[in-house]
Amino acid sequence: MDFTHYTDHSVQAAADLVNTRGSTTGNEYMGTPEQVAKFLAEHDFRAPHRVTKADIAQLHDLRDRLRDVFLSEDEKKAARILNQLLEELDVMPYLTDHDGDWHIHYAPEDASLGRRVAAATAMGLATVISTYGFDRLGVCAADNCKDVFVDMSRNKSRRFCNDICCTRMNVAAYRARAKQKA
């Protein structure tokens, strides 16, 4: 899939943010300032000097709303959720070269951390849905996993959130076939 670099980062950040709450365990992987700082660094977001409890709360709220986009029964519901989020954020795209390369930001540099992450991830998902289709957003098909992903394959064939779930399901299917033959 030929997503732009910036959209690629934004949609991956959206899926990864949703997955910071363990889908089967309920474990919280975005509960401390250190975990937030690590997430931001991994997804090329500039972190504030200090991550606050308010920042974490905003990210948790965003995570829940983005999960609703991935779990939507159709593109109209996903679009409603994203449009509402974009309206609340008062998204106003602008060009910046703060890092030496021109790209688009959707929230002012002085906006709260939650607003900056929300604007980028919502715009990324909106771009994917409008350009490539809602069926590019997926939920893992592995037993006991409800993590989400954005299908960037050419033929829309992705079914699992990661290689671990894919391998686990392939091994289980192999064992089931072997047991059936025996």
Side-chain angles (χ1 to χ4, degrees):
M1 185 49 48
D2 190 22
F3 293 161
T4 66
H5 173 77
Y6 198 65
T7 300
D8 223 19
H9 276 37
S10 297
V11 298
Q12 189 60 54
D16 290 347
L17 178 60
V18 170
N19 295 337
T20 61
R21 164 75 46 95
S23 65
T24 56
T25 64
N27 290 343
E28 179 59 68
Y29 300 107
M30 183 76 89
T32 67
E34 296 78 22
Q35 289 171 322
V36 172
K38 181 180 177 194
F39 176 88
L40 295 172
E42 289 172 350
H43 294 88
D44 294 331
F45 285 106
R46 291 194 325 179
H49 294 299
R50 190 176 67 102
V51 176
T52 66
K53 287 183 180 183
D55 293 328
I56 295 171
Q58 284 181 333
L59 291 172
H60 287 181
D61 178 59
L62 174 61
R63 174 178 63 194
D64 295 341
R65 294 175 81 179
L66 294 178
R67 178 176 290 285
D68 289 344
V69 172
F70 280 90
L71 298 178
S72 294
E73 45 289 337
D74 60 39
E75 64 269 4
K76 288 186 179 192
K77 182 174 180 188
R80 274 194 306 275
I81 295 167
L82 287 172
N83 284 336
Q84 182 179 12
L85 184 58
L86 293 169
E87 183 178 339
E88 289 170 19
L89 294 167
D90 194 25
V91 171
M92 297 189 65
Y94 68 95
L95 283 169
T96 181
D97 69 343
H98 67 83
D99 61 359
D101 291 321
W102 286 104
H103 58 278
I104 299 173
H105 276 200
Y106 300 103
E109 288 295 319
D110 62 345
S112 71
L113 172 62
R115 181 175 176 205
R116 286 187 289 126
V117 173
T121 55
M123 282 301 301
L125 290 176
T127 300
V128 168
I129 291 171
S130 66
T131 306
Y132 303 102
F134 174 70
D135 55 350
R136 290 290 180 170
L137 306 184
V139 178
C140 187
D143 296 339
N144 299 321
C145 184
K146 298 296 178 226
D147 281 354
V148 301
F149 60 88
V150 178
D151 185 351
M152 296 180 199
S153 67
R154 285 188 177 172
N155 60 356
K156 300 180 188 179
S157 61
R158 186 169 174 185
R159 295 181 44 229
F160 302 103
C161 64
N162 60 36
D163 290 340
I164 295 169
C165 282
C166 181
T167 300
R168 185 169 46 88
M169 293 305 294
N170 285 336
V171 168
Y174 171 79
R175 288 180 179 159
R177 286 190 306 271
K179 187 177 182 179
Q180 201 172 40
K181 286 181 183 179

Coordinates of all heavy atoms in Angstrom, one line a residue, residues 103-181:
H103 N 5.9 18.9 6.1 CA 4.8 18.0 6.3 C 3.6 18.7 6.9 O 3.8 19.9 7.2 CB 5.2 16.8 7.2 CG 5.7 17.1 8.5 ND1 7.0 17.5 8.7 CD2 5.1 17.2 9.7 CE1 7.2 17.8 10.0 NE2 6.1 17.6 10.6
I104 N 2.5 18.1 7.1 CA 1.3 18.7 7.6 C 1.1 18.4 9.1 O 1.2 17.2 9.5 CB 0.0 18.3 6.8 CG1 0.2 18.6 5.3 CG2 -1.2 18.8 7.4 CD1 -0.9 18.1 4.4
H105 N 0.8 19.4 9.8 CA 0.3 19.2 11.2 C -1.1 19.7 11.3 O -1.6 20.5 10.4 CB 1.1 20.1 12.2 CG 2.4 19.5 12.6 ND1 3.1 19.8 13.7 CD2 3.2 18.5 12.0 CE1 4.2 19.1 13.9 NE2 4.3 18.3 12.8
Y106 N -1.8 19.1 12.2 CA -3.3 19.3 12.3 C -3.7 20.1 13.5 O -4.9 20.4 13.7 CB -4.1 18.0 12.2 CG -3.8 17.3 10.9 CD1 -2.9 16.2 10.8 CD2 -4.3 17.8 9.7 CE1 -2.6 15.6 9.6 CE2 -4.1 17.1 8.5 CZ -3.2 16.1 8.5 OH -2.9 15.4 7.3
A107 N -2.7 20.3 14.4 CA -3.0 21.1 15.7 C -1.8 21.9 15.9 O -0.7 21.6 15.6 CB -3.2 20.1 16.8
P108 N -2.0 23.1 16.5 CA -0.9 24.0 16.8 C 0.2 23.3 17.7 O -0.1 22.5 18.5 CB -1.5 25.2 17.5 CG -3.0 25.1 17.3 CD -3.3 23.6 17.0
E109 N 1.4 23.8 17.5 CA 2.5 23.2 18.3 C 2.3 23.4 19.8 O 2.7 22.6 20.6 CB 3.9 23.9 18.0 CG 4.4 23.5 16.6 CD 4.8 22.0 16.6 OE1 5.3 21.5 17.5 OE2 4.5 21.4 15.5
D110 N 1.6 24.4 20.2 CA 1.3 24.7 21.6 C 0.0 24.0 22.1 O -0.3 24.2 23.3 CB 1.3 26.2 21.9 CG 0.1 26.9 21.2 OD1 -0.4 26.3 20.3 OD2 -0.2 28.0 21.6
A111 N -0.6 23.2 21.3 CA -1.8 22.5 21.7 C -1.4 21.4 22.7 O -0.3 20.9 22.8 CB -2.5 21.8 20.5
S112 N -2.4 20.9 23.5 CA -2.1 19.9 24.4 C -1.7 18.6 23.7 O -2.0 18.4 22.5 CB -3.4 19.6 25.2 OG -4.3 18.9 24.4
L113 N -1.0 17.8 24.4 CA -0.5 16.5 23.9 C -1.6 15.7 23.3 O -1.6 15.2 22.2 CB 0.3 15.8 25.0 CG 0.7 14.4 24.6 CD1 1.7 14.4 23.5 CD2 1.3 13.7 25.8
G114 N -2.7 15.6 24.1 CA -3.8 14.8 23.6 C -4.4 15.3 22.4 O -4.8 14.6 21.5
R115 N -4.5 16.7 22.2 CA -5.1 17.3 21.0 C -4.2 17.0 19.8 O -4.7 16.7 18.7 CB -5.3 18.8 21.2 CG -5.9 19.4 20.0 CD -6.2 20.9 20.2 NE -6.7 21.4 19.0 CZ -6.7 22.7 18.7 NH1 -6.1 23.6 19.6 NH2 -7.1 23.2 17.5
R116 N -2.9 17.1 20.0 CA -2.0 16.9 18.9 C -2.0 15.4 18.4 O -2.1 15.2 17.2 CB -0.5 17.3 19.3 CG -0.4 18.8 19.3 CD 1.1 19.2 19.5 NE 1.5 18.9 20.9 CZ 2.6 18.1 21.2 NH1 3.4 17.7 20.3 NH2 2.9 17.9 22.5
V117 N -2.0 14.5 19.3 CA -2.1 13.1 18.9 C -3.5 12.8 18.3 O -3.6 12.1 17.3 CB -1.8 12.2 20.2 CG1 -2.0 10.7 19.8 CG2 -0.4 12.4 20.6
A118 N -4.5 13.3 18.9 CA -5.9 13.1 18.4 C -6.0 13.6 17.0 O -6.6 12.9 16.1 CB -6.9 13.7 19.3
A119 N -5.6 14.8 16.8 CA -5.7 15.4 15.4 C -5.0 14.6 14.4 O -5.5 14.3 13.3 CB -5.2 16.9 15.4
A120 N -3.7 14.2 14.7 CA -2.9 13.4 13.7 C -3.5 12.1 13.5 O -3.7 11.6 12.3 CB -1.5 13.3 14.2
T121 N -3.9 11.4 14.5 CA -4.5 10.0 14.3 C -5.8 10.0 13.7 O -6.1 9.2 12.8 CB -4.5 9.2 15.6 OG1 -5.3 10.0 16.6 CG2 -3.1 9.0 16.2
A122 N -6.7 11.0 14.0 CA -8.0 11.1 13.4 C -7.9 11.4 11.9 O -8.6 10.8 11.1 CB -8.9 12.1 14.1
M123 N -7.0 12.4 11.6 CA -6.8 12.7 10.2 C -6.2 11.5 9.4 O -6.6 11.3 8.3 CB -5.9 13.9 10.1 CG -6.6 15.2 10.3 SD -8.1 15.6 9.3 CE -7.3 15.6 7.6
G124 N -5.3 10.8 10.0 CA -4.7 9.6 9.4 C -5.8 8.6 9.0 O -5.9 8.1 7.9
L125 N -6.6 8.3 10.0 CA -7.7 7.3 9.8 C -8.7 7.8 8.8 O -9.2 7.1 7.9 CB -8.4 6.9 11.1 CG -7.5 6.1 12.1 CD1 -8.3 5.9 13.4 CD2 -7.1 4.8 11.5
A126 N -9.0 9.1 8.9 CA -10.0 9.7 7.9 C -9.4 9.6 6.5 O -10.1 9.3 5.5 CB -10.3 11.1 8.2
T127 N -8.1 9.8 6.3 CA -7.5 9.7 5.0 C -7.5 8.3 4.5 O -7.8 8.1 3.3 CB -6.0 10.3 5.1 OG1 -6.0 11.6 5.5 CG2 -5.3 10.2 3.8
V128 N -7.2 7.4 5.4 CA -7.2 6.0 4.9 C -8.6 5.6 4.5 O -8.8 5.0 3.4 CB -6.7 5.0 6.0 CG1 -7.0 3.6 5.7 CG2 -5.2 5.2 6.2
I129 N -9.7 5.9 5.3 CA -11.0 5.5 5.0 C -11.5 6.2 3.7 O -12.0 5.5 2.8 CB -12.0 5.9 6.1 CG1 -11.7 5.0 7.3 CG2 -13.4 5.8 5.7 CD1 -12.5 5.4 8.6
S130 N -11.2 7.5 3.5 CA -11.6 8.2 2.3 C -10.9 7.8 1.0 O -11.4 7.8 -0.1 CB -11.5 9.7 2.5 OG -10.2 10.1 2.6
T131 N -9.6 7.4 1.2 CA -8.8 7.1 0.0 C -8.8 5.6 -0.3 O -8.8 5.2 -1.5 CB -7.3 7.6 0.2 OG1 -7.4 9.0 0.6 CG2 -6.5 7.4 -1.0
Y132 N -8.7 4.7 0.7 CA -8.5 3.3 0.5 C -9.7 2.4 1.0 O -9.7 1.3 0.6 CB -7.2 2.8 1.2 CG -6.0 3.6 0.8 CD1 -5.5 4.6 1.5 CD2 -5.4 3.3 -0.5 CE1 -4.4 5.3 1.1 CE2 -4.3 4.0 -0.9 CZ -3.8 5.0 -0.1 OH -2.7 5.7 -0.6
G133 N -10.6 3.0 1.8 CA -11.8 2.3 2.2 C -11.7 1.9 3.7 O -10.7 1.6 4.2
F134 N -12.9 1.8 4.2 CA -13.1 1.4 5.7 C -12.5 0.0 5.9 O -12.1 -0.3 7.0 CB -14.5 1.5 6.0 CG -14.9 1.0 7.4 CD1 -14.4 1.7 8.5 CD2 -15.6 -0.1 7.6 CE1 -14.7 1.2 9.8 CE2 -15.9 -0.6 8.8 CZ -15.5 0.1 9.9
D135 N -12.6 -0.9 4.9 CA -12.2 -2.2 5.1 C -10.7 -2.4 5.3 O -10.2 -3.5 5.6 CB -12.6 -3.1 3.9 CG -12.2 -2.7 2.6 OD1 -11.7 -1.5 2.4 OD2 -12.3 -3.4 1.6
R136 N -9.9 -1.3 5.3 CA -8.5 -1.3 5.6 C -8.3 -1.3 7.1 O -7.2 -1.6 7.6 CB -7.8 -0.1 5.0 CG -7.6 -0.1 3.5 CD -6.7 -1.2 3.1 NE -6.5 -1.2 1.7 CZ -5.6 -2.0 1.1 NH1 -4.7 -2.6 1.8 NH2 -5.5 -2.0 -0.2
L137 N -9.4 -1.0 7.9 CA -9.3 -1.1 9.3 C -9.8 -2.4 9.8 O -10.8 -2.9 9.4 CB -10.1 0.0 10.0 CG -9.9 1.5 9.5 CD1 -10.8 2.4 10.3 CD2 -8.5 1.8 9.6
G138 N -9.0 -3.1 10.6 CA -9.3 -4.4 11.0 C -9.2 -4.7 12.5 O -8.5 -4.0 13.2
V139 N -9.8 -5.8 12.9 CA -9.6 -6.4 14.3 C -9.0 -7.8 14.1 O -9.5 -8.5 13.2 CB -11.0 -6.4 15.0 CG1 -10.8 -7.0 16.4 CG2 -11.6 -5.1 15.1
C140 N -8.1 -8.1 14.9 CA -7.4 -9.4 14.8 C -8.3 -10.6 14.8 O -9.3 -10.6 15.6 CB -6.4 -9.5 16.0 SG -5.3 -10.9 15.8
A141 N -8.1 -11.5 13.9 CA -8.9 -12.7 13.8 C -8.5 -13.8 14.7 O -9.1 -14.9 14.7 CB -8.9 -13.2 12.3
A142 N -7.4 -13.6 15.4 CA -6.9 -14.7 16.3 C -7.9 -14.9 17.5 O -8.5 -13.9 18.0 CB -5.5 -14.3 16.8
D143 N -8.0 -16.1 17.9 CA -8.8 -16.4 19.1 C -8.2 -15.6 20.3 O -7.0 -15.5 20.5 CB -8.7 -17.9 19.5 CG -9.3 -18.8 18.4 OD1 -10.1 -18.3 17.6 OD2 -9.0 -20.0 18.3
N144 N -9.1 -15.0 21.1 CA -8.8 -14.3 22.3 C -7.9 -13.1 22.0 O -7.2 -12.6 22.9 CB -8.0 -15.2 23.3 CG -8.9 -16.4 23.7 OD1 -10.1 -16.2 23.9 ND2 -8.3 -17.5 23.8
C145 N -8.0 -12.5 20.9 CA -7.3 -11.2 20.6 C -8.3 -10.3 19.9 O -8.9 -10.7 19.0 CB -6.0 -11.4 19.7 SG -5.1 -9.9 19.5
K146 N -8.3 -9.1 20.4 CA -9.2 -8.1 19.8 C -8.4 -6.8 19.5 O -8.9 -5.7 19.4 CB -10.3 -7.7 20.8 CG -11.3 -8.9 21.0 CD -12.0 -9.4 19.8 CE -12.8 -10.6 20.1 NZ -12.7 -11.6 19.1
D147 N -7.1 -7.0 19.3 CA -6.2 -5.8 19.0 C -6.6 -5.4 17.5 O -7.1 -6.2 16.8 CB -4.8 -6.2 19.0 CG -4.2 -6.1 20.5 OD1 -5.0 -5.7 21.4 OD2 -3.1 -6.5 20.7
V148 N -6.3 -4.2 17.2 CA -6.7 -3.6 15.9 C -5.5 -3.4 15.1 O -4.3 -3.4 15.5 CB -7.5 -2.3 16.1 CG1 -8.7 -2.5 16.9 CG2 -6.6 -1.2 16.7
F149 N -5.7 -3.2 13.8 CA -4.6 -3.0 12.8 C -5.1 -2.2 11.6 O -6.4 -2.1 11.4 CB -3.9 -4.3 12.4 CG -4.9 -5.2 11.7 CD1 -5.1 -5.1 10.3 CD2 -5.5 -6.2 12.4 CE1 -5.9 -6.0 9.6 CE2 -6.4 -7.1 11.7 CZ -6.6 -7.0 10.4
V150 N -4.2 -1.6 10.9 CA -4.6 -1.0 9.6 C -3.9 -1.9 8.5 O -2.7 -2.1 8.6 CB -4.1 0.4 9.5 CG1 -4.4 1.0 8.1 CG2 -4.7 1.3 10.6
D151 N -4.7 -2.4 7.6 CA -4.2 -3.3 6.6 C -3.5 -2.5 5.5 O -4.2 -1.8 4.7 CB -5.4 -4.1 6.0 CG -4.9 -5.2 5.0 OD1 -3.8 -5.2 4.6 OD2 -5.8 -6.0 4.6
M152 N -2.2 -2.6 5.4 CA -1.5 -1.9 4.4 C -1.0 -2.8 3.3 O -0.2 -2.4 2.5 CB -0.3 -1.2 5.1 CG -0.7 -0.2 6.1 SD 0.8 0.6 6.8 CE 0.1 1.3 8.2
S153 N -1.6 -4.0 3.3 CA -1.2 -5.0 2.2 C -1.9 -4.5 0.9 O -2.9 -3.8 0.9 CB -1.7 -6.4 2.5 OG -3.1 -6.5 2.6
R154 N -1.3 -5.0 -0.2 CA -1.8 -4.6 -1.5 C -3.2 -5.1 -1.8 O -4.0 -4.5 -2.4 CB -0.9 -5.0 -2.6 CG 0.4 -4.2 -2.7 CD 1.2 -4.6 -3.9 NE 2.3 -3.7 -4.0 CZ 3.3 -3.8 -4.8 NH1 3.3 -4.8 -5.7 NH2 4.3 -3.0 -4.8
N155 N -3.4 -6.4 -1.3 CA -4.7 -7.0 -1.7 C -5.7 -7.1 -0.5 O -6.6 -8.0 -0.5 CB -4.4 -8.4 -2.3 CG -3.6 -9.3 -1.3 OD1 -3.3 -8.9 -0.2 ND2 -3.4 -10.6 -1.6
K156 N -5.5 -6.3 0.5 CA -6.4 -6.3 1.6 C -6.6 -7.7 2.3 O -7.7 -8.1 2.6 CB -7.8 -5.8 1.2 CG -7.8 -4.4 0.6 CD -9.2 -4.0 0.3 CE -9.2 -2.7 -0.5 NZ -10.6 -2.3 -0.9
S157 N -5.4 -8.3 2.5 CA -5.5 -9.7 3.0 C -5.1 -9.9 4.4 O -5.1 -11.0 4.9 CB -4.6 -10.6 2.1 OG -3.3 -10.1 2.2
R158 N -4.7 -8.8 5.1 CA -4.3 -9.0 6.5 C -5.4 -9.4 7.4 O -6.5 -8.9 7.3 CB -3.7 -7.6 7.0 CG -3.1 -7.7 8.3 CD -2.2 -6.5 8.7 NE -1.8 -6.6 10.0 CZ -1.1 -5.6 10.6 NH1 -0.9 -4.5 10.0 NH2 -0.8 -5.8 11.9
R159 N -5.1 -10.3 8.3 CA -6.2 -10.8 9.2 C -5.8 -10.7 10.7 O -6.6 -10.9 11.6 CB -6.5 -12.3 8.9 CG -7.1 -12.5 7.5 CD -7.5 -13.9 7.2 NE -8.1 -14.6 8.3 CZ -7.7 -15.8 8.7 NH1 -6.7 -16.4 8.2 NH2 -8.4 -16.3 9.7
F160 N -4.5 -10.6 10.9 CA -4.0 -10.6 12.3 C -3.3 -9.3 12.7 O -2.7 -8.6 11.8 CB -3.0 -11.8 12.5 CG -3.7 -13.1 12.2 CD1 -3.5 -13.7 11.0 CD2 -4.6 -13.7 13.0 CE1 -4.1 -14.9 10.6 CE2 -5.2 -14.9 12.7 CZ -5.0 -15.5 11.5
C161 N -3.2 -9.0 13.9 CA -2.6 -7.8 14.4 C -1.1 -7.8 14.3 O -0.4 -6.8 14.2 CB -3.1 -7.4 15.8 SG -2.6 -8.7 17.1
N162 N -0.5 -9.0 14.4 CA 0.9 -9.1 14.4 C 1.3 -10.6 14.0 O 0.5 -11.5 13.9 CB 1.6 -8.7 15.7 CG 1.1 -9.5 16.9 OD1 0.9 -10.7 16.8 ND2 1.0 -8.9 18.0
D163 N 2.6 -10.8 13.9 CA 3.1 -12.1 13.5 C 2.9 -13.2 14.6 O 2.7 -14.4 14.3 CB 4.6 -12.1 13.1 CG 4.8 -11.3 11.8 OD1 3.9 -11.2 11.0 OD2 6.0 -10.9 11.6
I164 N 2.9 -12.8 15.8 CA 2.7 -13.7 16.9 C 1.3 -14.3 16.8 O 1.1 -15.6 16.9 CB 2.9 -13.0 18.3 CG1 4.3 -12.6 18.4 CG2 2.5 -13.9 19.4 CD1 4.6 -11.7 19.6
C165 N 0.3 -13.5 16.6 CA -1.1 -14.1 16.5 C -1.2 -14.9 15.2 O -1.9 -16.0 15.3 CB -2.1 -12.9 16.5 SG -2.5 -12.3 18.1
C166 N -0.6 -14.5 14.2 CA -0.7 -15.2 12.9 C -0.1 -16.6 13.1 O -0.7 -17.6 12.7 CB 0.0 -14.4 11.8 SG 0.0 -15.3 10.2
T167 N 1.1 -16.6 13.7 CA 1.8 -17.9 13.9 C 1.0 -18.8 14.8 O 0.8 -20.0 14.6 CB 3.2 -17.7 14.5 OG1 3.9 -16.9 13.5 CG2 3.9 -19.0 14.7
R168 N 0.5 -18.2 15.9 CA -0.3 -19.0 16.9 C -1.5 -19.7 16.2 O -1.8 -20.9 16.4 CB -0.7 -18.1 18.0 CG -1.4 -18.8 19.2 CD -1.6 -17.9 20.4 NE -2.1 -16.6 20.1 CZ -3.4 -16.3 20.1 NH1 -4.3 -17.2 20.2 NH2 -3.8 -15.0 19.8
M169 N -2.2 -18.9 15.4 CA -3.4 -19.5 14.7 C -3.0 -20.5 13.6 O -3.7 -21.5 13.5 CB -4.2 -18.4 14.1 CG -4.8 -17.5 15.1 SD -5.9 -18.3 16.3 CE -7.2 -18.9 15.3
N170 N -1.9 -20.3 12.9 CA -1.4 -21.3 11.9 C -1.0 -22.6 12.6 O -1.3 -23.7 12.1 CB -0.3 -20.7 11.1 CG -0.7 -19.7 10.1 OD1 -1.9 -19.7 9.7 ND2 0.1 -18.8 9.7
V171 N -0.3 -22.5 13.7 CA 0.1 -23.7 14.5 C -1.1 -24.4 15.0 O -1.2 -25.6 14.9 CB 1.1 -23.3 15.6 CG1 1.3 -24.5 16.6 CG2 2.4 -22.9 15.1
A172 N -2.1 -23.7 15.5 CA -3.3 -24.3 16.0 C -4.1 -25.0 14.8 O -4.6 -26.1 15.0 CB -4.2 -23.3 16.6
A173 N -4.1 -24.4 13.7 CA -4.8 -25.0 12.5 C -4.0 -26.2 12.1 O -4.7 -27.3 11.7 CB -4.9 -24.0 11.4
Y174 N -2.7 -26.2 12.1 CA -1.9 -27.3 11.7 C -2.1 -28.5 12.6 O -2.3 -29.6 12.2 CB -0.4 -27.0 11.7 CG 0.5 -28.1 11.5 CD1 0.7 -28.7 10.2 CD2 1.1 -28.7 12.6 CE1 1.5 -29.8 10.1 CE2 2.0 -29.8 12.4 CZ 2.1 -30.4 11.2 OH 3.0 -31.4 11.0
R175 N -2.1 -28.2 13.9 CA -2.4 -29.3 14.9 C -3.7 -29.9 14.8 O -3.9 -31.1 15.0 CB -2.1 -28.7 16.3 CG -0.7 -28.5 16.6 CD -0.4 -27.9 18.0 NE 1.0 -27.7 18.2 CZ 1.5 -26.9 19.1 NH1 0.7 -26.2 19.9 NH2 2.8 -26.8 19.3
A176 N -4.7 -29.0 14.5 CA -6.1 -29.5 14.3 C -6.2 -30.5 13.1 O -6.8 -31.5 13.2 CB -7.1 -28.4 14.2
R177 N -5.5 -30.1 12.0 CA -5.5 -30.9 10.8 C -4.8 -32.3 11.1 O -5.3 -33.3 10.7 CB -4.9 -30.2 9.7 CG -5.7 -29.1 9.0 CD -5.1 -28.6 7.7 NE -3.8 -28.2 7.8 CZ -3.4 -26.9 8.2 NH1 -4.3 -26.0 8.4 NH2 -2.1 -26.6 8.2
A178 N -3.7 -32.2 11.8 CA -2.9 -33.4 12.1 C -3.7 -34.3 13.1 O -3.7 -35.5 12.9 CB -1.6 -33.0 12.8
K179 N -4.4 -33.7 14.0 CA -5.2 -34.5 14.9 C -6.4 -35.2 14.2 O -6.7 -36.3 14.5 CB -5.8 -33.6 16.0 CG -6.5 -34.3 17.1 CD -6.9 -33.4 18.2 CE -7.6 -34.1 19.4 NZ -8.0 -33.2 20.4
Q180 N -6.9 -34.5 13.2 CA -8.1 -35.0 12.4 C -7.6 -36.2 11.6 O -8.3 -37.1 11.4 CB -8.6 -33.9 11.6 CG -10.0 -34.1 11.1 CD -10.6 -32.8 10.4 OE1 -9.8 -32.2 9.7 NE2 -11.8 -32.5 10.7
K181 N -6.4 -36.1 11.0 CA -5.9 -37.2 10.2 C -5.5 -38.4 11.0 O -5.6 -39.5 10.5 CB -4.6 -36.7 9.5 CG -4.9 -35.8 8.3 CD -3.6 -35.4 7.7 CE -3.8 -34.4 6.6 NZ -2.6 -34.0 5.9

